Amino acid sequence: EEKRLKALIEIEKTNAHRKDDRQAAVLAEKRRHAAKVEKRRVENMEKLAEREAVRMKKLEIKHNLKPKKKNCSAGTSGGIDGHQKPTPNSSISSLASSIK
């Protein structure tokens, strides 16, 4: 009886380890997938920024404009073109000030 109980305990330990290993493998696979997605996203954003820079350069040449100085905060302030995105509160406050 004691041997049978020890064998059952060993089987349960093995099953628990197997479950832990399976969960760790699933988690690792999710992390690998998320890393791949993030890498692709970063690469696509870099390509997009490069294409936009080339497009702007061509437009400057076409319209005979002098290149503008780059603003450090332009890339973090809003959209691709560096303009500030309107926030819902800004449009409400501008509407409220026009009513007064």
Side-chain angles (χ1 to χ4, degrees), residues 1-9:
E1 182 70 22
E2 191 176 314
K3 286 182 180 181
R4 188 175 71 82
L5 288 175
K6 283 184 180 180
L8 285 173
I9 290 173

Side-chain angles (χ1 to χ4, degrees), residues 49-77:
E50 185 179 328
R51 276 188 254 150
E52 182 65 15
V54 168
R55 186 181 77 82
M56 293 301 290
K57 185 68 174 169
K58 287 180 180 179
L59 283 172
E60 288 171 357
I61 291 169
K62 178 180 177 182
H63 297 289
N64 199 18
L65 298 173
K66 294 180 182 176
K68 292 183 180 179
K69 292 183 180 179
K70 299 266 181 179
N71 187 355
C72 292
S73 64
T76 60
S77 65

